[in-house]
Amino acid sequence: YIVTIRVKPDHSGVVTDGVKHSMNPFCEIAVEEAVKLKEKKFIKEVVAVSCGPTQVTETIRTALAMGCDRGIHVEVSGKDYEAMGPLQIAKIFAALAKKEEASLVILGKQAIDDDCNQTGQMTAALLDWPQGTFASEVTIDGEKVKVVREIDGGLETIKISMPAVLTADLRLNTPRYATLPNIMKAKKKKIANMKPADLGVDMVSRVEVLRVDEPPTRLAGVKVETVDDLVAKLKANGTI
Amino acid sequence: GPHFISFLASPSALTGSALFFHYTWRRNCSSAVMPRITSHYTIFPRDKDPRWEGVEMERFADEADVVIVGGGPAGLSAAIRLKQLAKEQEKELRVCLVEKASQIGAHTLSGACLEPSALNELFPDWKERGAPLNTPVTEDLFSILTEKYRIPVPMLPGLPMNNHGNYIVRLGHFVHWLGEQAEELGVEIYPGYAAAEVLFHEDGSVKGIATNDVGIAKDGSPKDVFERGMELHAKVTLFGEGCHGHLAKQLYRQFNLRENCEPQTYAIGLKELWVIDEKKWRPGRVEHSVGWPLNRNTYGGSFLYHLNEGEPLVALGFVVGLDYTNPYLSPFREFQRWKHHPFVAKTLEGGDRIAYGARALNEGGYQCLPKVTFPGGMLIGCSPGFMNVPKIKGTHTAMKSGMLAAEAIFPKVTAEDPASETAGLHIPEYEDNLKKSWIWKELYAVRNIRPSFHNYFGLYGGMVYTGVFYWILRGKEPWTLKHAGLDSAQLKPAKECTPIEYPKPDGKLSFDLLSSVALSGTNHEGDQPPHLTLKDDSIPVANNLAIYDGPEQRFCPAGVYEYVPLETGEGMRLQINAQNCVHCKTCDIKDPSQNINWVVPEGSGGPAYNGL
């Protein structure tokens, strides 16, 4: 994920052409958790979903190689893709969860490009389902799910009924590698293709990005010799 | 008092118990504990390592007709040609290609001025297919630089550097496009998987390759997520790893492929991409220079190409021959200070640097071509090394070699009865076809230009030679000059050389090493054994530092090698920052002790070049 991003010359966003896109690390953890649940026989089938242009099928294949059973590619491209945000994605996920009669929707807690941390919560709200966010431990107990959540104060344990939305935090698990034999086998697994309109979702965004800029260059620090110097300088620039 | 070395890190001296980390050695007056550096299984085999007892080492295996190592111009052209022939003749052919980069093109770095000859043969309709050849060369400038001035050299037609009819390309994007064409034709491309091991049949012929294992910890022990790589078997395996491939290095020894040629000689090329002030932008302009800041006995020079892809982008870089003798020379810092020359600075002033990278390239040409076929496999592209050095172009010859390989292979792999003596097919027709092709004629004609620099007048002698013999006689002179020998043997001891005073980077035109490495986007899984393996951990301090003042600190363009003081006691140790590596291969080439063996790290690791 170490890519030097560049702001587009017209300041409308960042350059994404030719930049390698890979599965969001928190989503990798989510996929791993889903596959683990299936291996422990708590769930029957794992469906991997991604919204975006053609290239996202590569990411879906990685999820299939990790152990998901089938994939769904919701095609969004061009201006719709540039304007796509958590609300639009949450609407798509909510529609799919209903259509597929899912008992769990598991996502990464946030995407590391925009750090919004909204999609999971919005999906739960649209579905009116309980949510177990920032999960660092997930245990299924009959029709309920026990979730240990990482919160600012420590760990919080809740019990919620299914169907539910869970979002994965860092310590939930260590994702397995997608090995080459599994990538080859994944080519035989199905990826269904559909558009947001097929799910009755309109992609109109209520957010308009006016301008994207790089953060201002950090100015060099100044070393001072004594505490008096420090106080004098802080007074001089108006800090105190 | 007595001094002794109590631990030798050579595989034959190891037993299971001796593998655990700390060993002590005394040298002169230092009494320090030297931490272990190398933990890779190619130096410390796992079958003798107690931590690997009981670990499942079986590998999943699959069969293809042809397996290709490396998704660069050569590998992709070979794959494409094979599938084109299969389509034409309505035959089935499974072609699998593995590439260590996370996506095709991410490890590609080149100037580049592409001569479209091979592309025209491969895809006559390349323009309709959208090949990213967007910048025809419109202007060709050649200069000899002095510290302050520039002497223009006329670019007469017929001189090897003349670029009429060529295109300035971002090779990474071109390779990415080739990858798309290959996938459309049905080639199975697997980026993110490195070929780590060559597999052999009982009869010694090549059976295929195995991809890298994953999940080995930094100390060489297995992690919970450990998984073996996979075996890909093929009737014939093509090795297109680019300049100084690590599997090719092994194959040269295994099949004695270099017995009748000179050792390869190399250069390191460093490159940056800049968005410049529109007023200074001259799309289609090609600039090359020799001279300052290098002295006349150090081979090298610069390039600066103005791309025409919408924004005012220039690709620029600096090449230094790795046969240089002064261990204090830093190719990176020569590159940075060259940018301050008034002729270069005026183009870059007010611009922004957006990318950085580096890669070794071949300089040997005709004299250094090894045998390229062996039972079960063949070498293509810059790996054996078809670069036309004075033209500084190797892409067209790499592509052509891939195509010739495909054309030689196709009838054999689709034949009912290949009538081969060995299980892996030996196809010497490829070498015959190479010798009859324009690649051979081209490389033969320019064979004496690079070695002509080895004379008292250095650069100037070489230019005179080129002017007289190449321009007039086209390389028809009956003699063939020799190179200087192994690059790694050229360094003079530090005490015989003068340290070079490099200017501090100014943060506007020139930059420090670490911020440059950050721009390469390079990254590796941190918890894995360093892939810059040392045959003997004690040699860097004992030899490289003691005699040559640690030249790896200077020739590595990514800051991988650092000599740092020991935590306790006197003395230094070598620290290997493997995560910084940009896979340029310079260390494996230039290490005066030839102690460094670059092996492939976990797939997907390495630089993330975008259109370099």
Side-chain angles (χ1 to χ4, degrees):
Chain A
Y1 316 106
I2 311 265
V3 181
T4 316
I5 46 169
R6 246 217 312 160
V7 175
K8 284 190 195 161
D10 64 359
H11 292 275
S12 61
V14 294
V15 174
T16 51
D17 274 338
V19 177
K20 165 81 183 162
H21 286 60
S22 29
M23 198 188 295
N24 184 47
F26 296 112
C27 299
E28 275 182 356
I29 297 174
V31 170
E32 175 64 24
E33 196 60 22
V35 173
K36 273 193 164 63
L37 287 173
K38 188 181 85 158
E39 285 170 347
K40 291 188 207 153
K41 304 223 194 301
F42 285 112
I43 54 179
K44 282 204 274 313
E45 189 191 34
V46 183
V47 183
V49 182
S50 191
C51 311
T54 339
Q55 294 94 300
V56 308
T57 50
E58 271 178 53
T59 312
I60 301 177
R61 286 258 174 253
T62 310
L64 294 174
M66 285 169 74
C68 297
D69 299 291
R70 59 186 166 90
I72 298 179
H73 170 208
V74 180
E75 241 191 279
V76 184
S77 52
K79 283 273 174 293
D80 276 347
Y81 180 60
E82 283 172 32
M84 186 172 78
L87 181 57
Q88 289 75 29
I89 302 178
K91 286 181 180 175
I92 294 174
F93 286 174
L96 275 172
K98 280 201 215 116
K99 182 164 181 274
E100 294 281 340
E101 294 178 341
S103 31
L104 282 173
V105 175
I106 313 182
L107 316 86
K109 69 171 178 179
Q110 66 199 54
I112 63 172
D113 47 21
D114 58 19
D115 276 339
C116 281
N117 197 313
Q118 296 166 5
T119 310
Q121 292 88 334
M122 285 176 171
T123 310
L126 288 167
L127 287 164
D128 198 22
W129 286 7
Q131 55 180 266
T133 53
F134 307 97
S136 68
E137 207 183 301
V138 169
T139 329
I140 298 202
D141 185 9
E143 280 303 306
K144 292 207 188 283
V145 189
K146 188 177 90 171
V147 183
V148 178
R149 307 177 58 231
E150 299 206 12
I151 59 173
D152 288 341
L155 296 173
E156 179 192 53
T157 309
I158 59 172
K159 210 172 210 172
I160 53 179
S161 7
M162 294 206 274
V165 174
L166 306 173
T167 73
D169 207 326
L170 189 62
R171 278 156 280 270
L172 182 55
N173 60 49
T174 309
R176 66 196 66 189
Y177 284 89
T179 56
L180 186 53
N182 288 330
I183 292 269
M184 287 179 171
K185 285 190 204 134
K187 292 208 167 177
K188 302 199 183 76
K189 295 186 183 176
K190 280 202 168 326
I191 300 182
N193 199 297
M194 58 186 76
K195 294 210 161 53
D198 301 336
L199 298 164
V201 172
D202 93 77
M203 294 299 284
V204 170
S205 177
R206 284 118 176 99
V207 174
E208 187 195 333
V209 174
L210 296 175
R211 194 181 156 91
V212 177
D213 279 306
E214 281 185 30
T217 6
R218 254 182 96 164
L219 296 165
V222 176
K223 266 185 163 165
V224 292
E225 297 293 309
T226 66
V227 176
D228 290 330
D229 279 348
L230 175 62
V231 173
K233 283 218 147 56
L234 288 174
K235 280 193 174 148
N237 73 11
T239 310
I240 52 172
Chain B
H3 37 234
F4 60 93
I5 297 174
S6 66
F7 182 93
L8 286 169
S10 62
S12 55
L14 286 171
T15 59
S17 57
L19 278 171
F20 292 101
F21 319 135
H22 294 286
Y23 59 90
T24 326
W25 55 279
R26 290 171 190 274
R27 181 175 160 71
N28 299 332
C29 312
S30 93
S31 56
V33 174
M34 198 67 76
R36 174 148 148 231
I37 303 172
T38 302
S39 55
H40 201 273
Y41 63 80
T42 50
I43 306 285
F44 299 111
R46 289 173 289 191
D47 55 359
K48 299 191 175 61
D49 186 338
R51 300 171 300 180
W52 287 86
E53 243 184 81
V55 175
E56 180 56 67
M57 296 299 265
E58 269 282 327
R59 277 187 290 223
F60 183 79
D62 203 357
E63 303 272 336
D65 291 296
V66 181
V67 163
I68 300 178
V69 175
L76 288 168
S77 300
I80 288 170
R81 196 75 196 102
L82 280 168
K83 282 300 208 176
Q84 284 176 339
L85 288 166
K87 203 167 166 197
E88 265 171 49
Q89 302 186 26
E90 289 172 354
K91 295 230 163 97
E92 289 283 320
L93 201 66
R94 186 177 183 205
V95 180
C96 290
L97 187 151
V98 288
E99 161 59 46
K100 62 174 164 57
S102 59
Q103 62 176 0
I104 300 286
H107 287 186
T108 301
L109 184 144
S110 182
C113 276
L114 179 67
E115 212 181 89
S117 47
L119 180 61
N120 288 331
E121 287 180 35
L122 189 64
F123 286 119
D125 59 344
W126 56 258
K127 213 183 178 116
E128 287 77 38
R129 286 171 176 265
L133 274 67
N134 302 313
T135 313
V137 175
T138 55
E139 257 188 286
D140 217 333
L141 274 80
F142 195 91
S143 325
I144 303 178
L145 297 181
T146 64
E147 192 175 343
K148 294 193 179 58
Y149 303 104
R150 167 190 170 245
I151 306 164
V153 174
M155 244 322 98
L156 303 167
L159 275 175
M161 296 288 266
N162 187 294
N163 274 297
H164 184 73
N166 298 334
Y167 292 83
I168 304 172
V169 295
R170 295 174 70 169
L171 195 64
H173 287 168
F174 176 70
V175 166
H176 190 87
W177 173 84
L178 275 179
E180 288 173 349
Q181 307 308 303
E183 279 197 308
E184 253 176 61
L185 284 164
V187 178
E188 289 175 54
I189 299 190
Y190 298 110
Y193 297 96
E197 201 184 315
V198 183
L199 303 168
F200 297 93
H201 288 286
E202 295 266 314
D203 63 15
S205 60
V206 169
K207 187 178 179 185
I209 52 100
T211 60
N212 59 279
D213 294 347
V214 290
I216 304 179
K218 199 163 182 165
D219 64 6
S221 62
K223 293 194 275 200
D224 284 332
V225 284
F226 172 74
E227 294 246 18
R228 277 290 256 169
M230 159 175 183
E231 295 189 11
L232 279 170
H233 301 166
K235 297 180 186 146
V236 64
T237 307
L238 270 62
F239 293 87
E241 298 169 285
C243 176
H244 204 76
H246 80 111
L247 294 180
K249 191 175 170 182
Q250 191 194 338
L251 291 165
Y252 290 144
R253 277 197 306 265
Q254 184 85 13
F255 293 104
N256 222 353
L257 301 173
R258 300 202 73 95
E259 60 186 348
N260 293 322
C261 65
E262 288 187 46
Q264 185 62 264
T265 170
Y266 302 88
I268 177 175
L270 302 105
K271 179 178 174 180
E272 289 175 355
L273 274 181
W274 282 64
V275 177
I276 57 171
D277 184 342
E278 237 185 292
K279 294 194 275 300
K280 320 220 175 140
W281 184 37
R282 304 274 177 276
R285 179 188 243 193
V286 161
E287 295 174 25
H288 291 113
S289 81
V290 291
W292 190 85
L294 299 176
N295 65 33
R296 66 169 197 264
N297 290 109
T298 305
Y299 183 84
S302 76
F303 64 89
L304 198 154
Y305 305 149
H306 293 247
L307 287 154
N308 191 5
E309 300 196 349
E311 50 174 346
L313 210 59
V314 295
L316 60 141
F318 205 77
V319 173
V320 179
L322 286 177
D323 58 348
Y324 69 83
T325 55
N326 185 346
Y328 292 109
L329 192 143
S330 162
F332 173 79
R333 301 193 79 171
E334 299 289 350
F335 174 33
Q336 297 303 316
R337 75 166 163 174
W338 162 77
K339 286 186 279 173
H340 284 281
H341 188 280
F343 186 63
V344 186
K346 72 176 202 275
T347 304
L348 299 179
E349 249 139 33
D352 270 309
R353 183 177 73 152
I354 61 168
Y356 166 83
R359 183 71 171 90
L361 49 136
N362 300 300
E363 293 275 316
Y366 180 81
Q367 292 88 324
C368 301
L369 286 171
K371 282 210 275 278
V372 291
T373 66
F374 42 91
M378 36 180 80
L379 300 168
I380 55 175
C382 276
S383 179
F386 298 109
M387 201 175 100
N388 180 327
V389 177
K391 266 194 197 176
I392 48 168
K393 290 180 181 58
T395 310
H396 62 307
T397 48
M399 289 175 69
K400 182 65 176 171
S401 71
M403 290 155 66
L404 289 172
E407 285 158 11
I409 292 173
F410 187 76
K412 295 287 160 90
V413 292
T414 50
E416 286 298 321
D417 170 25
S420 175
E421 284 176 5
T422 49
L425 299 178
H426 187 192
I427 309 179
E429 285 83 344
Y430 163 53
E431 192 149 349
D432 298 334
N433 292 349
L434 275 175
K435 292 190 172 142
K436 293 191 217 129
S437 73
W438 49 258
I439 298 180
W440 219 257
K441 288 195 197 54
E442 204 179 304
L443 293 182
Y444 186 77
V446 300
R447 73 196 181 288
N448 285 324
I449 295 182
R450 177 66 175 90
S452 72
F453 281 71
H454 293 290
N455 65 76
Y456 179 74
F457 297 104
L459 165 70
Y460 305 109
M463 292 185 75
V464 167
Y465 186 96
T466 307
V468 172
F469 290 101
Y470 183 77
W471 194 57
I472 300 174
L473 292 178
R474 287 277 175 274
K476 290 196 177 63
E477 65 273 30
W479 55 83
T480 299
L481 299 176
K482 280 180 124 73
H483 294 290
L486 272 175
D487 289 336
S488 54
Q490 302 304 316
L491 282 181
K492 296 205 182 97
K495 63 181 196 287
E496 289 174 28
C497 301
T498 335
I500 304 178
E501 278 287 318
Y502 288 106
K504 264 191 148 70
D506 73 347
K508 293 206 221 31
L509 287 174
S510 53
F511 301 89
D512 66 297
L513 187 59
L514 290 180
S515 66
S516 309
V517 178
L519 275 184
S520 69
T522 193
N523 195 27
H524 295 87
E525 162 61 53
D527 193 12
Q528 68 173 307
H531 62 281
L532 299 322
T533 67
L534 304 175
K535 291 181 215 156
D536 181 339
D537 274 4
S538 64
I539 287 194
V541 174
N543 201 43
N544 291 31
L545 186 60
I547 302 178
Y548 302 99
D549 198 47
E552 57 269 59
Q553 302 172 93
R554 299 186 192 93
F555 60 57
C556 173
V560 169
Y561 300 97
E562 270 186 285
Y563 282 96
V564 296
L566 286 166
E567 269 83 44
T568 52
E570 301 246 321
M572 307 286 270
R573 66 176 177 89
L574 177 64
Q575 176 168 288
I576 295 186
N577 306 313
Q579 281 186 281
N580 288 17
C581 181
V582 293
H583 298 206
C584 77
K585 316 295 175 68
T586 301
C587 56
D588 195 307
I589 294 166
K590 190 59 175 169
D591 175 14
S593 316
Q594 285 293 281
N595 186 37
I596 300 173
N597 194 43
W598 189 99
V599 298
V600 82
E602 272 184 23
S604 286
Y609 298 144
N610 181 359
L612 277 186

